[in-house]
Amino acid sequence: MALLVIRKLTHYFGGLRAVANFNLSVQGGELLGLIGPNGAGKTTVFNLVCGFYKPTEGQILFQDKDIAGLRPHAVTAMGIARTFQNIRLWNTLSVFDNLCIAQHFRLGYGLLDTILRTGRYMRRERAVRRTAEELLEIMGLRHYAQEQPSNLPYGLQRRLEIARALATQPKLLLLDEPAAGMNPGEIQQLVETIRWIRQSFQLTIWLIEHHMRVVMSVCERVQVLDFGETIADGSPEDIRRNPRVIQAYLGSEELSHA
């Protein structure tokens, strides 16, 4: 059984068609990419999968359950986590607290447990703190635990956002332009981090990215959107040579140097 199956996904904003007849089947453990020019509909697809938009038409099946139209918190609880093109961290809280709060949707205790400090409350809070501490260590953020995210370099903010997504214990991780705004050194670290996360956490990863070197070096399969429609789907090498993809990117130079 495929982990994620999308069938004939279509979405309109008013009279504007953003995504048309999008189809995808994702097997557990895959690392795949979604690329295309600006405005092609890539982030809209992610927003549909994660519950930020309700599809106009089509199905989104996650572990054989229809999640189309579910609220974002319900999608997260089912095992799908994401990062955003524009970093969205809680900048008034510490790095450590960002990782703790990300886990609160699955705590399993109520208001009375909190007031009485019951055994269930104490056990769950210890587990939350332990997970946060482990992620700080794993992601190289331990020395910044009490810093506010806005005080961190951009690359570390991106790493924290990924760590916060991992704190939800997902089965599928969606990364929306994780290399945006990074310098070459940070991008290389990101590539290594994505590979390491996939192997260490046994995750399925689906990413949107404009840096072709990132896509071509980490993805096993790449799907290409243009004006909301899929124009290619295949291996990185197939995509690099595809005439329609080259035309969509206004020439082959960007793809040939990836």
Side-chain angles (χ1 to χ4, degrees):
M1 183 178 66
L3 182 67
L4 177 71
V5 176
I6 300 175
R7 298 185 182 130
K8 299 181 179 180
L9 189 65
T10 299
H11 191 66
Y12 286 84
F13 293 108
L16 176 65
R17 189 182 68 180
V19 178
N21 196 32
F22 182 86
N23 296 278
L24 181 68
S25 180
V26 181
Q27 299 299 316
E30 274 197 278
L31 204 170
L32 63 157
L34 182 63
I35 67 173
N38 288 329
K42 306 180 297 298
T43 296
T44 299
V45 170
F46 271 24
N47 285 336
L48 290 165
V49 171
C50 293
F52 290 94
Y53 303 146
K54 184 177 181 179
T56 305
E57 299 174 13
Q59 277 188 313
I60 306 171
L61 303 177
F62 182 68
Q63 293 184 310
D64 210 29
K65 296 179 181 178
D66 193 349
I67 64 170
L70 289 184
R71 302 287 292 174
H73 70 274
V75 174
T76 300
M78 293 188 70
I80 299 177
R82 72 170 293 182
T83 65
F84 293 86
Q85 182 176 348
N86 298 313
I87 295 176
R88 299 184 185 182
L89 296 168
W90 294 300
N91 285 311
T92 58
L93 303 175
S94 69
V95 168
F96 182 77
D97 286 341
N98 266 262
L99 298 181
C100 289
I101 288 179
Q103 304 174 64
H104 275 215
F105 74 95
R106 54 182 173 82
L107 285 178
Y109 60 69
L111 178 61
L112 189 60
D113 294 296
T114 304
I115 295 172
L116 298 179
R117 301 274 173 156
T118 62
R120 177 165 55 177
Y121 168 84
M122 298 303 294
R123 285 192 300 274
R124 290 303 304 137
E125 285 297 318
R126 283 196 297 268
V128 164
R129 295 180 68 85
R130 184 166 58 248
T131 297
E133 289 166 356
E134 289 171 354
L135 286 169
L136 287 173
E137 190 69 37
I138 287 169
M139 300 299 287
L141 296 167
R142 183 168 58 86
H143 296 298
Y144 309 98
Q146 299 309 316
E147 287 282 352
Q148 290 185 335
S150 57
N151 294 333
L152 300 182
Y154 192 83
L156 290 182
Q157 290 186 40
R158 281 286 182 193
R159 196 180 301 177
L160 172 58
E161 192 179 34
I162 294 173
R164 189 179 63 179
L166 293 174
T168 68
Q169 298 182 2
K171 299 178 180 70
L172 173 63
L173 177 62
L174 278 56
L175 304 176
D176 192 349
E177 295 195 32
M182 288 187 173
N183 61 44
E186 291 171 334
I187 290 174
Q188 182 57 41
Q189 288 181 351
L190 174 69
V191 168
E192 294 168 0
T193 297
I194 291 172
R195 288 172 176 160
W196 182 86
I197 287 172
R198 187 266 194 99
Q199 181 177 359
S200 299
F201 288 83
Q202 298 296 299
L203 277 179
T204 305
I205 298 177
W206 187 16
L207 67 89
I208 293 171
E209 189 50 71
H210 279 293
H211 287 269
M212 289 299 100
R213 290 185 182 180
V214 174
V215 174
M216 297 302 177
S217 62
V218 302
C219 294
E220 301 155 339
R221 179 160 64 103
V222 181
Q223 192 168 13
V224 188
L225 283 182
D226 191 25
F227 294 107
E229 297 184 358
T230 301
I231 62 171
D233 187 345
S235 70
E237 191 58 36
D238 291 338
I239 296 302
R240 184 183 284 113
R241 297 177 178 179
N242 187 294
R244 290 193 68 188
V245 177
I246 293 172
Q247 183 179 18
Y249 275 93
L250 303 177
S252 62
E253 183 175 356
E254 182 176 1
L255 291 170
S256 65
H257 287 85

